[in-house]
């Protein structure tokens, strides 16, 4: 089940939800405490609750960014005895984990892999939570969109107000509040005055008035309250709080903060109306007229409960002094600076890079990679290991003959070609040029000279045989014979497979043992063997296919192990090895290590790879050289 959550690089969705839960709870408690201290200042209380809502989303996201970047201020504790490696194994039948001290890292790997697959109630709880969270957020998002559509519909069906007294009162209130006058419309979709924001794309703020009750003469006070929302920017702040509620619908404290924020905004606007010259008692009576009796407002941004309206009325009736409606620019700047500082501090309260500082348990135990590298004395040097390659079965060699001259004395074979030149021949029957040895071992010198058998003879013996044959026709023949082409000579060219016995077959020249030799040694061995048949032979040898030495890439994909065998040439490093498997999936939170053993009886040496440093180019220290038989393990978290 946990694989469903590993979609966020910094430890998965469960960690993000956990951070959002405890951080939002802490922030809501702090915000409520501060709001209670400034309870008599609604404008200041609304600003505190707005900052509280925004921090509930900003801080968890910032924490994930900090954790992914490894910028946390907390340093996890390392082991005091790094030589011991502690792992967790599962005891049967209870399956309860217990700590044990293991002799080698391979035991940790085996025991961790041997842990039974268990699906407990926590997995199902997280799965249910993971399904409920996005569904609830989608429902709330649809509800918010319907509210915006209702506001837009109310503006569209409204008619422009033509009452001169109401328009004049709106102009006076706009001048008093220092804001431009909004569009004024009479709409049957509202039961009380409401300000529609320009967020809905209507070109500007629109003030909606109910169709009934236009004969009132106290519009100036009502407009001062509504335009106070415009001066305070409540359209944007209310939208921000609603979005936060959509993102974190499972946080009950956040819904209480939302309720108190809306009440604080209304009370702050009431203070603006009183400061503009309205009588508190008169304004309270106005609120009584607009309390929704038959049905609540259909628009989410305009809805107000009866209990909230009752609280406002009681507050207005108890008001004796003229309130201070504003927050103050200096106080507002200081408040946001404190909020940003709090967000930064909470985001940085994370552990540093776990691979180097050790809070996460790697598969070889809970020894951090830095300490594991310090303890392990067999770590390879970063210097290139330019070791010559030793050939073995079933490698394929590319062998070509450069110089192939038969060893003297050469005996002529059938189908060979020899050059015969004779001086003192008959005028019209010269003997000069190549002559092919027939299958019966004879060469034909012409009608006047006949045929001579030369097969099995050396070149000198062939000269004497030809001279003896020609003396019956010529008086003093001078004969010379040379080998032009040997038909029985074995061609040495192309690919040659090293057999299971470690030898390479050269055809008629026999076999040569080459296993365990370097390329120069192979060339020397073959040339030495061919000296039995050829005169100072010269050949070229190169590798055609590396088939004898391999290393293995073992990766875990979706709970399954996958093994890829890769030929080893002796000049690959970790990054070269990982690039051979195109289907390999690597992440900054995964583990990569090499298991290396020099013999079957020896326990393997674990070489931990700092994949994060290699991925980001920070360090090339653990980009080890691959040796034959290495197992490169890639484990995704």
């Amino acid at each position: 089940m946990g694989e469903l959550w590993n979609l966020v690089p910094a430890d998965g969705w469960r960690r993000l939800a956990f951070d959002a839960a405890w951080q939002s709870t802490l922030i809501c408690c702090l915000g409520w405490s501060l709001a209670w201290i400034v309870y008599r200042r609604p404008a200041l209380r609304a600003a505190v609750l707005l900052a509280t809502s925004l921090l509930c989303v900003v801080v968890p996201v910032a924490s994930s960014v900090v954790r992914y970047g490894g910028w946390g201020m907390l340093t996890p504790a390392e082991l005091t005895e790094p030589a011991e490696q502690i792992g967790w194994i599962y005891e049967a039948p209870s399956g309860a984990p217990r700590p044990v001290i293991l002799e080698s890292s391979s035991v940790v790997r085996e025991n961790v892999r041997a842990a039974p697959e268990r699906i407990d109630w926590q997995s199902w709880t997280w799965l249910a939570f993971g399904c409920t969270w996005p569904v609830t957020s989608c429902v709330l998002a649809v509800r918010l969109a319907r509210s915006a559509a209702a506001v837009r519909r109310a503006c569209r069906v409204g008619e422009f107000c033509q009452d001169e007294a109401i328009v004049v009162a709106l102009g006076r209130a706009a001048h008093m509040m220092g804001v431009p006058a909004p569009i004024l419309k009479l709409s049957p979709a509202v039961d009380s005055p409401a300000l529609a924001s320009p967020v809905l794309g209507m070109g500007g703020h629109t003030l909606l008035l109910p169709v009934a009750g236009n004969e009132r003469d106290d519009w100036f006070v009502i407009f001062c309250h509504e335009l106070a929302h415009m001066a305070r920017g409540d359209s944007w702040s209310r939208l921000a709080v609603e979005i936060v509620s959509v993102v974190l619908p499972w946080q009950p404290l956040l819904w209480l903060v939302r309720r108190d924020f809306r009440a604080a905004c209304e009370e702050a606007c009431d203070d603006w109306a009183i400061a503009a010259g309205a009588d508190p008692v008169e304004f309270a009576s106005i609120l009584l007229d607009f309390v929704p009796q038959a049905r609540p407002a259909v628009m989410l941004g305009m809805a107000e409960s009866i209990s909230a309206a009752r609280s406002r009325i009681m507050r207005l009736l108890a008001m004796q002094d003229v309130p201070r409606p504003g927050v103050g620019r200096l106080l507002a700047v200081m408040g946001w600076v404190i909020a940003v500082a709090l967000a930064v501090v909470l985001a940085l309260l994370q552990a540093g890079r776990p691979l180097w500082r050790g809070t996460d348990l790697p598969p070889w135990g809970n020894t951090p990679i830095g300490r594991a590298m310090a303890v392990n004395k067999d770590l390879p040097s970063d210097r290139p290991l330019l070791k010559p390659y030793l050939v073995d079965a079933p490698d394929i060699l590319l062998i070509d003959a450069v110089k192939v001259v038969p060893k003297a004395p050469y005996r002529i074979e059938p189908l060979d070609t020899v050059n015969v030149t004779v001086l003192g021949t008959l005028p019209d029957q010269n003997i000069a040029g190549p002559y092919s040895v027939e299958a019966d071992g004879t060469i034909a010198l012409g009608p006047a000279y006949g045929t001579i058998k030369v097969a099995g003879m050396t070149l000198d013996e062939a000269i004497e045989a030809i001279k003896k044959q020609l003396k019956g026709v010529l008086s003093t023949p001078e004969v010379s014979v040379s080998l032009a082409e040997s038909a029985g000579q074995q061609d040495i060219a192309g690919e040659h497979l090293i057999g299971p016995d470690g030898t390479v077959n050269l055809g008629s020249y026999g076999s040569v043992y080459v296993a365990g030799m370097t390329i120069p040694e192979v060339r020397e061995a073959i040339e030495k063997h061919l000296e039995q048949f050829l005169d100072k032979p010269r050949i070229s040898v190169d590798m055609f296919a590396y088939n004898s030495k391999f290393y293995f890439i073992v990766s875990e994909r979706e709970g399954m192990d996958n093994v890829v065998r890769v030929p080893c040439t002796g000049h690959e490093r970790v990054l070269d090895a990982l690039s051979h498997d195109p289907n390999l999936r690597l992440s900054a939170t995964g583990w990569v290590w090499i298991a290396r053993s020099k013999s079957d009886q020896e326990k393997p040496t674990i070489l931990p790879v700092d994949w994060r440093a290699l991925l980001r180019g920070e360090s090339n220290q653990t980009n080890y050289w691959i040796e034959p038989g290495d197992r490169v393990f890639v484990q995704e978290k």
Side-chain angles (χ1 to χ4, degrees):
M1 298 299 177
E3 286 76 7
L4 297 176
W5 294 91
N6 294 329
L7 303 177
V8 174
D11 299 334
W13 287 100
R14 283 186 289 189
R15 181 60 184 271
L16 179 62
F18 177 76
D19 285 348
W22 77 265
Q23 288 173 348
S24 62
T25 301
L26 176 62
I27 293 171
C28 288
C29 293
L30 293 177
W32 253 348
S33 301
L34 186 57
W36 180 261
I37 296 175
V38 296
Y39 184 78
R40 295 183 179 275
R41 297 283 303 277
L44 188 57
R45 188 169 81 250
V48 170
L49 296 175
L50 173 62
T52 300
S53 299
L54 296 178
L55 290 180
C56 288
V57 172
V58 172
V59 173
V61 174
S63 298
S64 297
V65 174
V66 169
R67 189 164 53 252
Y68 176 72
W71 306 319
M73 297 187 301
L74 302 182
T75 302
E78 295 184 350
L79 291 179
T80 56
E81 296 293 336
E84 295 181 352
Q85 296 188 357
I86 301 177
W88 292 89
I89 66 174
Y90 289 87
E91 291 183 313
S94 63
R98 63 178 176 88
V100 293
I101 298 179
L102 303 172
E103 295 181 357
S104 68
S105 304
S106 61
V107 182
V108 176
R109 168 72 177 170
E110 293 173 2
N111 284 310
V112 172
R113 293 297 300 148
E117 296 290 339
R118 300 183 302 150
I119 302 179
D120 53 12
W121 67 271
Q122 293 182 353
S123 299
W124 289 106
T125 302
W126 276 111
L127 181 61
F129 176 74
C131 296
T132 305
W133 184 358
V135 170
T136 307
S137 296
C138 291
V139 171
L140 293 178
V142 171
R143 178 170 173 258
L144 184 61
R146 291 186 60 189
S147 172
V151 174
R152 190 175 182 86
R153 190 182 310 110
C155 296
R156 188 173 60 252
V157 300
E159 298 179 356
F160 290 99
C161 181
Q162 304 296 334
D163 193 322
E164 184 177 355
I166 298 178
V167 175
V168 172
L170 179 61
R172 287 178 53 206
H175 179 74
M176 176 67 69
M177 303 302 299
V179 295
I183 302 173
L184 188 61
K185 284 188 175 184
L186 301 177
S187 176
V190 296
D191 296 328
S192 60
L195 184 69
S197 69
V199 180
L200 303 176
M202 296 177 294
H205 286 86
T206 302
L207 185 57
L208 301 177
L209 302 180
V211 176
N214 292 331
E215 66 279 358
R216 307 178 62 93
D217 55 1
D218 48 12
W219 286 111
F220 173 75
V221 178
I222 298 174
F223 290 153
C224 286
H225 173 88
E226 297 300 331
L227 295 183
H229 287 296
M230 184 175 174
R232 286 170 38 82
D234 286 343
S235 300
W236 300 101
S237 59
R238 285 180 176 178
L239 178 61
V241 173
E242 294 295 336
I243 293 176
V244 170
S245 301
V246 171
V247 174
L248 299 177
W250 42 263
Q251 176 56 269
L253 298 179
L254 196 57
W255 288 95
L256 298 179
V257 169
R258 170 181 175 272
R259 183 198 62 185
D260 292 348
F261 168 75
R262 295 170 63 85
C265 289
E266 296 297 332
E267 293 178 4
C269 293
D270 291 343
D271 290 348
W272 278 93
I274 300 304
D279 181 74
V281 177
E282 180 183 355
F283 190 65
S285 64
I286 296 175
L287 291 180
L288 283 174
D289 296 337
F290 288 111
V291 171
Q293 301 293 337
R295 61 182 177 87
V298 294
M299 280 70 74
L300 189 61
M302 303 175 184
E304 183 182 15
S305 64
I306 298 178
S307 59
R310 184 184 302 111
S311 177
R312 290 173 57 193
I313 293 173
M314 297 301 296
R315 178 177 177 273
L316 290 171
L317 295 177
M319 188 178 297
Q320 297 179 356
D321 300 327
V322 177
R324 290 183 296 172
V327 176
R329 181 173 299 178
L330 179 61
L331 188 59
V333 172
M334 291 179 58
W336 285 111
V337 169
I338 293 174
V340 172
L342 178 62
V344 172
V345 171
L346 290 178
L348 292 177
L349 289 179
Q350 307 290 330
R353 292 182 59 191
L355 190 59
W356 286 98
R357 300 178 183 173
T359 54
D360 289 347
L361 291 180
W364 55 83
N366 64 349
T367 303
I369 185 171
R371 185 64 62 87
M373 293 175 61
V375 173
N376 198 334
K377 305 300 183 182
D378 298 327
L379 289 179
S381 171
D382 194 43
R383 183 178 59 187
L385 303 177
L386 300 178
K387 295 181 179 180
Y389 183 81
L390 302 181
V391 302
D392 204 345
D395 286 340
I396 300 178
L397 301 178
L398 185 63
I399 304 176
D400 287 318
V402 178
K403 178 184 177 183
V404 180
V405 177
K407 193 173 183 178
Y410 179 78
R411 295 190 178 274
I412 301 174
E413 300 289 340
L415 304 182
D416 284 351
T417 301
V418 293
N419 289 320
V420 181
T421 304
V422 179
L423 298 178
T425 59
L426 297 176
D428 296 331
Q429 297 188 33
N430 296 328
I431 301 176
Y435 290 84
S436 177
V437 181
E438 302 297 332
D440 58 355
T442 62
I443 57 173
L445 298 179
Y449 309 118
T451 60
I452 304 171
K453 187 173 182 178
V454 295
M457 300 181 180
T458 64
L459 295 179
D460 293 336
E461 292 173 348
I463 291 175
E464 294 299 328
I466 294 174
K467 184 181 295 186
K468 182 178 179 181
Q469 174 79 10
L470 294 179
K471 282 183 178 181
V473 181
L474 303 175
S475 58
T476 56
E478 297 291 333
V479 181
S480 68
V481 178
S482 64
L483 181 66
E485 182 180 354
S486 175
Q489 179 180 322
Q490 175 69 41
D491 186 20
I492 304 176
E495 299 86 9
H496 291 73
L497 175 69
I498 300 178
D501 57 351
T503 62
V504 59
N505 190 353
L506 300 179
S508 62
Y509 299 119
S511 300
V512 183
Y513 185 84
V514 296
M517 298 182 183
T518 63
I519 294 298
E521 292 172 346
V522 171
R523 182 176 64 251
E524 182 179 353
I526 295 178
E527 289 178 350
K528 185 177 181 180
H529 176 78
L530 292 178
E531 285 178 355
Q532 305 175 44
F533 313 97
L534 304 175
D535 183 21
K536 297 180 181 180
R538 292 290 181 267
I539 63 172
S540 65
V541 181
D542 200 357
M543 289 298 304
F544 181 79
Y546 296 89
N547 297 332
S548 62
K549 296 174 178 60
F550 295 90
Y551 61 89
F552 304 90
I553 301 176
V554 184
S555 60
E556 291 188 355
R557 299 175 183 170
E558 300 177 355
M560 304 286 292
D561 285 341
N562 183 66
V563 181
V564 177
R565 189 177 73 164
V566 183
C568 181
T569 64
H571 300 285
E572 294 93 356
R573 306 184 79 167
V574 172
L575 288 178
D576 300 321
L578 297 179
S579 65
H580 279 289
D581 189 355
N583 298 322
L584 194 62
R585 298 181 301 175
L586 289 172
S587 64
T589 57
W591 298 105
V592 180
W593 72 95
I594 298 176
R596 175 176 298 170
S597 57
K598 298 181 180 179
S599 64
D600 295 338
Q601 293 76 22
E602 182 182 357
K603 294 180 179 179
T605 300
I606 302 299
L607 305 179
V609 177
D610 186 4
W611 172 244
R612 291 182 178 87
L614 293 180
L615 186 66
R616 302 171 184 172
E618 299 174 357
S619 173
N620 206 41
Q621 184 179 7
T622 58
N623 192 20
Y624 309 116
W625 290 89
I626 303 297
E627 295 185 2
D630 283 354
R631 284 164 290 172
V632 182
F633 287 89
V634 180
Q635 184 183 64
E636 298 183 2
K637 291 187 63 177

